[in-house]
């Protein structure tokens, strides 16, 4: 039986000395808890030279473009910042959770200068949001973003140059159903030669409405009259072309 393949996200600093490994970049808010943010930081042994190794988790809100900044005030506000000192280990109980199986495999492969990390994301933080930029915008998009950053330094408050650190963007996403159950999903394919087919089914305990008659399709007034007579009367369609491409969908009931 073939071994299961694990996908790993990897990013290295521009000087090639610091690398971050993570198993995923989307972390789900389950309402009662949030997936832990974990991974491994690898540092070139010759690069440490008595310095400390840190990793941070930052949630920031960007509300303006960089070229709009005046008198050194950026249009960006850090909502939440957490730091972990990975090397040398801090005194006291460990600040991170037990290593996962993937972290153990990476530690065995990378050697002694690889350090695991784990963050517990607060539940009151907003989810990741990105506003659609205008075609002329070239800077970072406005919205809420999360970032994992690893770096080496002597003091945490010193200025960290970009080439000596590595940052990896992650996302916090949420699905909040009113009642626990199977998450809704759908697949739609649109091209210039094929129609669109829409399939729908009620959940458990749902009532399957009766279809509309052929004479009622495409006539809203007839569908409205039929619905007044029978509240379970619905009909959904989705087939057609506009200008030689695309599709037209309509809903009755």
């Amino acid at each position: 039986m073939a071994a299961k393949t694990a996908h790993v996200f990897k990013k290295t600093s521009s000087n090639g000395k610091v690398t971050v490994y993570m198993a995923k970049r989307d972390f789900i808010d389950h309402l009662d808890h949030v997936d832990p943010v974990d991974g491994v930081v690898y540092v070139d042994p010759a690069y440490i030279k008595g310095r400390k190794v840190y990793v941070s988790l930052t949630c920031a809100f960007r509300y303006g473009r960089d070229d709009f900044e005046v008198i050194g005030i950026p249009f960006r506000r850090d909502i939440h910042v957490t730091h972990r000192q990975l090397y040398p280990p801090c005194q006291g109980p460990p600040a991170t959770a037990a290593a996962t199986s993937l972290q153990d495999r990476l530690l065995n492969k990378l050697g002694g200068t690889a350090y695991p990390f784990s963050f517990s994301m607060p539940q009151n933080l907003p989810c990741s949001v990105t506003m659609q930029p205008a075609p002329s915008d070239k800077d970072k998009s406005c919205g809420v973003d999360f970032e994992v950053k690893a770096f080496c330094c002597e003091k945490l408050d010193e200025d960290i140059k970009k080439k000596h650190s590595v940052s990896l963007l992650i996302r916090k996403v949420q699905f909040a159903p009113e009642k626990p159950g199977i998450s809704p999903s759908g697949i739609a394919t649109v091209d210039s030669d094929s129609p669109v087919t829409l399939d729908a089914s009620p959940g458990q305990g749902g009532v399957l409405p009766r279809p509309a008659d052929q004479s009622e399709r495409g006539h809203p007034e007839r569908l409205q009259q039929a619905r007044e007579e029978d509240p379970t009367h619905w009909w959904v369609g989705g087939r057609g072309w506009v200008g030689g491409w695309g599709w037209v969908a309509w809903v009755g009931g």
Side-chain angles (χ1 to χ4, degrees):
M1 182 176 179
K4 186 177 179 180
T5 302
H7 298 279
V8 178
F9 294 95
K10 172 186 175 182
K11 190 173 181 181
T12 305
S13 60
S14 57
N15 62 3
K17 304 299 184 181
V18 184
T19 305
V20 172
Y21 298 85
M22 298 187 69
K24 59 182 180 179
R25 297 178 66 179
D26 289 346
F27 300 88
I28 302 176
D29 183 352
H30 299 275
L31 300 184
D32 56 346
H33 71 281
V34 183
D35 292 343
V37 180
D38 50 35
V40 172
V41 174
Y42 172 79
V43 184
D44 189 332
Y47 181 68
I48 297 179
K49 297 181 180 179
R51 291 180 292 182
K52 300 177 181 179
V53 180
Y54 289 95
V55 62
S56 65
L57 173 65
T58 303
C59 174
F61 172 50
R62 178 178 293 276
Y63 52 94
R65 289 165 35 185
D66 291 341
D67 55 355
F68 286 170
E69 296 179 2
V70 293
I71 60 174
I73 300 178
F75 289 99
R76 183 181 184 275
R77 183 180 297 273
D78 291 340
I79 303 175
H80 174 80
V81 181
T82 303
H83 293 91
R84 292 276 190 274
Q85 180 178 317
L86 304 181
Y87 177 84
C90 295
Q91 299 295 328
T96 60
T100 64
S101 59
L102 180 60
Q103 286 176 318
D104 288 335
R105 291 164 60 185
L106 287 172
L107 294 175
N108 293 332
K109 180 179 180 180
L110 298 174
T113 55
Y115 309 100
F117 67 88
S118 178
F119 291 100
S120 296
M121 192 179 299
Q123 292 182 239
N124 59 352
L125 290 180
C127 292
S128 298
V129 178
T130 300
M131 298 181 64
Q132 182 68 32
S136 59
D137 291 341
K138 298 181 180 179
D139 297 322
K140 294 182 179 179
S141 302
C142 295
V144 177
D145 59 59
F146 291 81
E147 179 186 74
V148 173
K149 182 178 180 180
F151 52 93
C152 287
C153 64
E154 295 181 0
K155 297 181 179 180
L156 190 58
D157 56 353
E158 71 180 61
D159 185 23
I160 308 298
K161 296 183 179 180
K162 188 174 182 180
K163 66 178 182 179
H164 297 312
S165 64
V166 55
S167 300
L168 188 65
L169 290 178
I170 62 175
R171 296 191 307 176
K172 179 188 176 187
V173 295
Q174 184 182 59
F175 172 67
E178 295 183 358
K179 296 181 180 180
I182 300 176
S183 303
S185 61
I187 299 176
T189 303
V190 181
D191 55 41
S192 59
D193 298 323
S194 303
V196 173
T197 302
L198 176 64
D199 295 330
S201 61
Q204 294 183 357
V207 178
L208 181 64
R210 70 173 181 83
D213 297 331
Q214 183 67 32
S215 61
E216 297 170 345
R217 299 180 181 181
H219 298 279
E221 68 282 353
R222 297 180 184 177
L223 288 169
Q224 181 63 29
Q225 180 181 359
R227 188 183 180 187
E228 292 176 355
E229 297 175 356
D230 183 359
T232 66
H233 185 100
W234 287 85
W235 187 79
V236 180
R239 173 174 295 188
W241 292 266
V242 176
W245 67 278
W247 57 281
V248 178
W250 56 91
V251 180

